[in-house]
């Protein structure tokens, strides 16, 4: 699944210290549920992203456990406090051991 | 399955005389708070006998689905548009060219392109869909292999090109050299097919606004194509959708890229002349 | 409408299956919830679950949860083959204990959110989502 997995995140470029910001994330992934069968009637094995985390300067904002009932191309929206300038780090963990990550800097201003 | 289909037929038969039409809503579609979409427009002249107004399928969807299309971050199709942007800049084929080698910036070079496709191609003396033009670029211009008709790569490139025309009204030409193909497409639109004996018009002209089972029938415009369908979580091209519709009438379908579907695409696109390019839209 | 004996039996068997199946999946959801709460009492209220009354397609249903003061919120789809959907653990920098996502629902069912509060108590909200079948191939 490692090919073609593309994370997208939406974070404001600046905020005032102590501000609340809204973050949205989306990643391309089939989220194969393990419930479907192929044309020969064999169960297609589960292959999903099972965990998503967002950290800011090393401190946790949210840590999500995903099950097979999360839709294809997982989407999350949540709110973070911005205590200081720094960097958000977003990480997605795949069943197959792959890890996808991306970062976004935010300035105080 | 058989029973479901019979229920669907019964629903269709009953719906016309008895059911109050659940009409299109009056919401306004503004994408990213800036692109104002024309989602209702006076019907083009060639439809004068059939419709007064053309209405985007966006109006037939629930608020949740409508909202997904109103913001490029909430619209899952934009994942594929970003992938196509990478394709645009990738060197392919024996001539060491990318799309950008000839067309530079997609934002500038492709603005307005989606509004006039399908269109007559003078050199090839036939009506060209955007897919055919993309494949010509790949094979003749770049020395690369053609992409699969209506495949994932093709769909996302069509989406990327369409995005550059969002908000602009569809304006395909139906006269001049394209007229014969347009007439062929019109014949197909009104031809009943399959065991269920339905034409495109049976659902999308005579029954739009009514429900087919729990689904709200649209006028079947393609100004929002390629479309991200919640059903299969990926982009669907006009020919892919036509195939699904014809299959659902229980007929052998034409193939994506066939002469029949090219003609039908031109005709269906012309029915939506005046509506904004919405692609990539979000539907159920 | 007349039924033969055989048809009547078949109908009865069908009805029995219909009655039993939802009960089994509900039991799976109850077990999953009990595992999260450790069997503790769960109060209604204190957590908000927003989901559409009617989902146009069960494959992508937008839901959001909010529980001020919660450390974690779990979403369950009680009618799915496996009831777990997602667990949101809120870190120290979460500005609010809210989150939105898109989920799969196998059919019309009750969606449940359980929040674990900072004091160790639990709160619950639920919402019935009708999942419709589209006209053209579902």
């Amino acid at each position: 699944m490692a090919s073609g997995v593309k994370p997208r995140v939406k974070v404001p470029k600046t905020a005032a210290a102590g501000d609340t910001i809204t973050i949205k994330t989306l990643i391309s992934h089939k989220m194969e549920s393990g419930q479907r069968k192929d044309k020969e009637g064999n169960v297609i094995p589960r292959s999903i992203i099972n965990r998503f985390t967002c950290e800011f300067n090393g401190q946790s904002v949210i840590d999500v456990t995903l099950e097979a009932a999360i839709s294809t191309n997982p989407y999350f929206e949540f709110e973070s406090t911005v205590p200081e300038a720094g960097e958000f780090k977003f990480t997605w963990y795949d069943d197959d051991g792959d890890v996808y990550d991306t970062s976004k800097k935010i300035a105080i201003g | 399955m058989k029973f479901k289909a019979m229920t669907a037929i019964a629903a269709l038969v009953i719906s016309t005389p008895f059911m109050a039409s659940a009409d299109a809503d009056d919401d306004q579609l503004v994408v990213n708070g800036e692109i104002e979409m024309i989602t209702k427009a006076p019907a083009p002249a060639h439809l004068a006998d059939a419709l007064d107004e053309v209405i985007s399928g966006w109006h037939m969807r629930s608020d949740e689905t409508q909202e997904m299309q109103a913001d490029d971050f909430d619209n899952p199709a934009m994942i594929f548009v970003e992938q196509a942007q990478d394709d645009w800049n990738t060197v392919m084929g024996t001539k060491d060219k990318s799309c950008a080698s000839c067309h530079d910036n997609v934002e500038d070079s492709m603005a307005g392109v989606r509004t006039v496709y399908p269109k007559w191609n003078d050199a090839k003396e036939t009506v060209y869909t955007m897919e055919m033009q993309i494949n010509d670029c790949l094979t003749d211009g770049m020395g690369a292999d053609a992409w699969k008709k209506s495949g994932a790569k093709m769909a996302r490139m069509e989406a990327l090109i369409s995005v550059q025309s969002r908000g602009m009204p569809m304006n395909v030409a139906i006269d001049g050299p394209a007229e014969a193909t347009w007439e062929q497409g019109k014949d197909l639109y009104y031809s009943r097919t399959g065991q269920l004996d339905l034409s495109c018009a049976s659902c999308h002209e005579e029954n739009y606004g009514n429900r087919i089972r729990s689904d709200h029938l649209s006028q079947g415009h393609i100004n929002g194509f390629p479309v991200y369908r919640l059903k299969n979580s990926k982009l669907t091209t006009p020919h892919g959708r036509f195939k699904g519709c014809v299959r659902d009438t229980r007929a052998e379908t034409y193939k994506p890229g066939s002469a029949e579907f090219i003609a039908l695409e031109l005709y269906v696109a012309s029915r939506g002349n005046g509506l904004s390019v919405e692609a990539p839209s979000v539907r159920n | 409408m007349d039924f033969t004996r055989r048809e009547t039996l078949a109908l009865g068997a069908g009805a029995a299956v219909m009655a039993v199946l939802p009960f089994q999946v509900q039991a799976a959801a109850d077990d999953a919830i009990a595992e999260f709460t450790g069997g503790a009492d769960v109060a209604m209220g204190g957590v908000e679950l927003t989901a559409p009354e009617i989902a146009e397609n069960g494959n992508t249903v937008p839901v959001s949860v909010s529980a001020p003061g919660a450390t974690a919120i779990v979403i369950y789809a009680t009618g799915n083959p496996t009831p777990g959907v997602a667990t949101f653990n809120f870190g120290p920098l979460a500005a609010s204990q809210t989150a939105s996502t898109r989920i799969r629902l196998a059919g019309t069912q009750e969606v449940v959110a359980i929040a674990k509060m900072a004091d160790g108590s639990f709160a619950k909200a639920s919402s019935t989502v009708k999942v419709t079948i589209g006209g053209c191939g579902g």
Side-chain angles (χ1 to χ4, degrees):
Chain A
M1 191 62 219
S3 70
V5 173
K6 204 170 168 100
R8 298 183 80 209
V9 297
K10 187 179 187 181
V11 176
K13 288 192 172 58
T14 60
D19 255 10
T20 293
I21 60 161
T22 298
I23 295 176
K24 296 181 181 184
T25 72
L26 191 65
I27 190 165
S28 58
H29 198 284
K30 277 183 81 159
M31 297 293 282
E32 188 60 58
S33 66
Q35 301 288 338
R36 300 198 308 161
K37 288 179 178 168
D38 64 17
K39 281 178 185 149
E40 282 77 45
N42 306 309
V43 172
I44 305 170
R46 180 184 120 149
S47 175
I48 68 168
I49 288 174
N50 57 51
R51 186 180 173 209
F52 162 73
T53 62
C54 170
E55 289 177 352
F56 180 74
N57 290 350
Q59 263 203 306
S60 172
V61 178
I62 200 165
D63 185 337
V64 187
T65 306
L66 291 74
E67 307 289 348
I70 294 291
S71 300
T72 305
N73 307 325
Y75 170 90
F76 293 112
E77 181 179 335
F78 50 93
E79 293 185 324
S80 178
T81 304
V82 184
E84 70 235 351
E87 191 172 67
F88 283 99
K89 189 178 183 203
F90 304 89
T91 315
W92 292 260
Y93 299 85
D94 196 308
D95 270 352
D96 67 12
D98 281 334
V99 175
Y100 321 106
D101 60 40
T102 188
S103 300
K104 285 273 174 183
K105 285 194 167 63
I106 189 163
I108 297 298
Chain B
M1 196 57 222
K2 190 167 148 198
F3 203 78
K4 280 187 188 167
M6 288 174 66
T7 318
I9 299 166
L12 257 185
V13 171
I14 292 166
S15 67
T16 318
F18 295 113
M19 265 181 62
S21 136
D23 280 328
D25 66 20
D26 290 324
D27 295 344
Q28 291 251 307
L29 176 56
V30 180
V31 174
N32 300 331
E34 57 184 31
I35 308 171
E36 288 181 20
M37 297 285 186
I38 305 160
T39 52
K40 290 182 182 178
H46 70 84
L47 280 182
D49 294 338
L51 298 172
D52 295 330
E53 189 179 39
V54 287
I55 304 166
S56 163
W58 182 81
H59 284 290
M60 308 296 181
R61 302 276 53 94
S62 71
D63 289 349
E64 292 85 11
T65 310
Q66 287 183 335
E67 280 166 20
M68 248 185 240
Q69 199 187 319
D71 180 291
D72 278 354
F73 204 90
D74 293 338
N75 184 341
M78 298 313 280
I79 290 177
F80 304 107
V81 170
E82 284 193 356
Q83 288 171 341
Q85 181 68 61
D86 292 345
D87 296 339
W88 181 267
N89 295 316
T90 303
V91 172
M92 289 174 266
T94 55
K95 299 186 183 175
D96 279 335
K97 283 185 185 171
S98 68
C99 305
S101 309
C102 295
H103 300 291
D104 296 325
N105 221 331
V106 68
E107 285 89 350
D108 303 324
S109 60
M110 294 297 136
V113 166
R114 172 68 170 80
T115 63
V116 295
Y117 269 94
K119 71 169 187 181
W120 181 256
N121 181 316
D122 270 334
K124 306 284 173 148
E125 297 191 335
T126 188
V127 168
Y128 252 47
T129 60
M130 201 192 289
E131 274 198 21
M132 293 158 78
Q133 184 57 55
I134 291 168
N135 268 342
D136 271 14
C137 281
L138 283 162
T139 55
D140 303 349
M142 302 160 79
D145 290 336
W147 287 340
K148 186 185 170 198
K149 288 166 183 159
S150 283
K153 269 198 150 177
M154 184 61 86
R156 71 197 194 199
M157 182 56 74
E158 287 182 72
L160 172 68
I161 293 171
S162 300
V163 162
Q164 318 310 330
S165 304
R166 281 194 300 181
M168 300 179 196
M170 284 296 296
N171 185 26
V172 298
I174 64 173
D175 52 2
E179 192 176 350
T181 306
W182 182 81
E183 289 287 355
Q184 184 198 355
K186 185 177 177 182
D187 277 353
L188 284 163
Y189 189 90
Y190 288 101
S191 297
R192 290 173 178 271
T193 61
Q195 290 176 313
L196 299 189
D197 203 29
L198 295 169
S199 71
C200 306
S202 308
C203 289
H204 297 292
E205 182 172 294
E206 293 158 25
N207 275 294
Y208 70 86
N210 287 331
R211 288 183 183 272
I212 181 164
R213 294 204 281 188
S214 64
D215 207 354
H216 210 170
L217 278 168
S218 74
Q219 287 185 345
H221 297 297
I222 55 174
N223 58 312
F225 278 69
V227 52
Y228 183 91
R229 295 194 67 194
L230 303 181
K231 171 189 163 168
N232 54 10
S233 326
K234 60 184 182 187
L235 290 174
T236 299
T237 65
H239 292 201
R241 180 67 269 201
F242 293 162
K243 190 177 155 192
C245 278
V246 176
R247 180 204 61 213
D248 288 348
T249 72
R250 299 190 173 183
E252 288 285 337
T253 75
Y254 305 107
K255 287 192 167 55
S258 62
E260 288 84 358
F261 276 173
I262 292 166
L264 188 59
E265 182 179 342
L266 173 62
Y267 178 69
V268 174
S270 80
R271 290 176 69 96
N273 270 352
L275 294 175
S276 287
V277 173
E278 276 179 44
S281 61
V282 182
R283 304 284 188 264
N284 58 326
Chain C
M1 200 181 279
D2 294 326
F3 291 110
T4 62
R5 180 172 162 276
R6 183 171 297 183
E7 283 169 341
T8 310
L9 280 172
L11 278 173
V17 169
M18 293 285 283
V20 168
L21 271 181
F23 179 72
Q24 281 174 341
V25 291
Q26 183 64 50
D30 287 346
D31 287 351
I33 292 169
E35 195 180 325
F36 177 58
T37 60
D41 283 345
V42 179
M44 290 299 285
V47 53
E48 200 176 312
L49 169 66
T50 309
E53 191 182 337
I54 299 174
E56 279 194 304
N57 195 296
N59 207 16
T60 315
V61 183
V63 296
S64 48
V65 288
S66 178
T71 57
I73 304 177
V74 190
I75 302 177
Y76 300 94
T78 59
N80 275 5
T82 53
V85 176
T87 305
F88 299 98
N89 296 293
F90 298 100
L93 285 185
S96 64
Q97 287 67 45
T98 62
S100 304
T101 187
R102 296 168 183 163
I103 70 173
R104 294 167 171 157
L105 297 176
T108 295
Q109 59 180 282
E110 194 180 24
V111 177
V112 172
I114 308 270
K116 183 178 188 181
M117 310 311 279
D119 64 4
S121 67
F122 292 91
K124 174 181 172 176
S126 73
S127 181
T128 299
V129 180
K130 289 183 189 136
V131 174
T132 62
I133 300 170
C136 296

